[in-house]
Amino acid sequence: MARKNDVTKVLLDESEIPRQWYNIVADMPNKPAPNYSPMTGKLATLEEMEVIFPREIILQEGTTDRWVDIPQDVREMYRQWRPTPLYRARSLEKALGTPARIYYKYEGTNATGSHKLNTSLPQAYYNKAAGIKRLATETGAGQWGSALSLACNRFDLECTVYMVKVSYQQKPYRRSFMNTFGANVVASPSNLTNCGKSILEKDPDCTGSLGIAISEAVEDAATHSDTNYALGSVLNHVCLHQTIIGLEAKKQMEMIDEYPDVIFACCGGGSNFAGITFPFLMDKFKGSKVRAVAVEPTACPTLTKGVFAYDYGDTAKVAPITKMYTLGHDFVPAGIHAGGLRYHGDSPIVSQLYHDGIIEAQAYGQKAVFDAAVLFARTEGIVPAPESSHAIRAAIDEALKAKESGEEKAILFCLSGHGYFDFTAYDNYFSGKLEDLEYSEEAVKASINNLPKIGE
Ligand SMILES: *Cc1c(COP(=O)(O)O)cnc(C)c1O
C-alpha cells in the first residue's frame, strides 16, 4: 500500500470507476423542498417538467433511492479520462511551511477542462434515449457550453448554446471550442426568442446575464417538441451525477490510509461542491466529524449573505421555482472573472444542508483568490480556473491556521477545472487591474423584495 507520507499522486484503475452515483437526499434529515411551477404558482407537475426534460432526468430529480446506476454507455465514456487523479500538494505545503497535508482532486483533465462533463454526458445520453434531437442550454463563462457541446457530439444530438453576450465577446476561444464540436453558439440576448427580443427592444446594448440566457434556452426548448433543455448545475440530478468525484476521492484517500478533516470546494450553483463532499457527508450522517466548506465570491455571496426562500431560477421566470439560498433573481453580480460563480441562487440540496448547519460557507474577494491561484500555479504547475481558485484560497488559509496551531490535519479540495481559457483574467491580475468587487447590499435588498410569494 502507498503511504501518505511519500505519495504525490494517487491513481485508480479504470475498473474502479464507480458503477453508481450517490444520492444524498436518501440520508438528509430534512429533504429539499419541492419545486413550484412558474406558470401556475402550484407544485410543478411531471407533465410540465416533461416539456423541457426527459422522464429519466425528472425521476432522478425526485428520487430518494440512495444509489442510482450509471448507464453502461456513460461509464464507457467516463473511461476516457476517469478516474481522475488525486494529488498531494507537496510543493504548496512546503511553500506554506504548514504541517497540514493538502490534497486535491483534479477535474480538469478532460478536453473541456472542468467537472461539468461528468453531468453533460449522462444528460445527453438520457435525452438521446428519449428520442430528442437537439438540446438547448445557456453558458456564462463557457465551461458548461463546452461540456454540453462535446456530450451532444458524442451522442449525435444537435446543440444550441445561448452564451452571455459579454463572454461571447471576451472569450472567443470558448466559442471556437464549442463550434469545433458542432454546436451553434448564439450571443444572448438574441433575436431567436421572444424573451431575448423584448430585452433587446428595451436595451439594444444589453450585455446579457446568466438569468437571461437561461430564459432563452428554456423558451427554445419549450417551443420545439424535438428539443429539450439541459442545466449544468443547481438541480438535484446534476449534483447526483457529480458525486463520482467524491466517490473516487474517498477510495483514493483510503488507499493511502487517509481521511480529510475538512473539504473545500468553490460554489456557484453547488455542483462540484456536491460532487466532492456528498460521499463524505454520508459518513457525517453516521458520526464522522468531517467539515465541508462551500467557498463563494464576495461579489455574489449567495450562502453567506442571501436568504433561504423560494425564488425563480431565471430572469424571465420560465424555469422552475425552487427553495434555495438566493440573492434574488433580479440581482446581477459584478463582472468578476470567476464567471461560473455568478449565479443568484444555489442548489436546493446544498441550501438545505447549509440551513441545517451540516455544511459551512466562506466568501473571498477576487484579489485574494488570484494571489492563491498564482501561488498554486507556481508550486503545483497547474494554472487553476478562477472559480476553483476560491477553494484553493480557503485551503491555503486553513493550512496557515494549522501552521499557527501546529495541527497536523488533512485538507482536501476540489480543483474543479483549469484556467487555460482564462488568461485575460490572469493578465488583469498581473497588470494590477483586478478589482475587489463587493456586492451591493441595496441591490440585494431590492432584488429580494421581488421574490415570489410561495408557502406564505
Ligand atoms: C461552472 C464551474 C464552477 C461552478 O459551478 P458549480 O456548479 O458550483 O460547481 C466551478 N468551477 C469550474 C471550473 C466551473 O466550470
Side-chain angles (χ1 to χ4, degrees), residues 114-116 143 233 266-272 340-341 385 387-388 416-417:
S114 85
H115 65 292
K116 291 193 173 75
Q143 290 103 319
S233 185
C266 67
C267 192
S271 75
N272 88 90
L341 304 184
E387 290 86 356
S388 322
S416 52

Side-chain angles (χ1 to χ4, degrees), residues 270-390:
S271 75
N272 88 90
F273 173 81
I276 194 150
T277 64
F278 286 5
F280 290 96
L281 291 178
M282 178 165 53
D283 304 338
K284 187 157 181 155
F285 295 123
K286 295 181 204 144
S288 139
K289 292 205 163 38
V290 62
R291 292 172 54 210
V293 185
V295 192
E296 54 187 22
T298 49
C300 191
T302 316
L303 293 172
T304 50
K305 301 283 183 191
V307 295
F308 188 45
Y310 271 105
D311 195 9
Y312 298 103
D314 65 321
T315 308
K317 309 177 187 174
V318 291
I321 302 174
T322 55
K323 188 166 185 191
M324 57 185 177
Y325 275 86
T326 179
L327 298 166
H329 57 277
D330 291 333
F331 177 73
V332 180
I336 51 165
H337 284 287
L341 304 184
R342 291 180 70 236
Y343 186 59
H344 67 271
D346 219 316
S347 142
I349 298 180
V350 171
S351 297
Q352 186 68 52
L353 292 169
Y354 183 63
H355 190 68
D356 290 342
I358 294 165
I359 62 166
E360 304 164 40
Q362 295 174 357
Y364 282 102
Q366 60 178 354
K367 273 194 210 154
V369 165
F370 273 85
D371 290 343
V374 171
L375 176 61
F376 182 81
R378 289 179 184 172
T379 48
E380 294 297 310
I382 300 171
V383 178
E387 290 86 356
S388 322
S389 303
H390 287 71

Side-chain angles (χ1 to χ4, degrees), residues 15-27:
S15 64
E16 294 182 88
I17 295 175
R19 289 171 195 280
Q20 294 175 310
W21 294 298
Y22 167 60
N23 178 23
I24 195 170
V25 176
D27 294 323

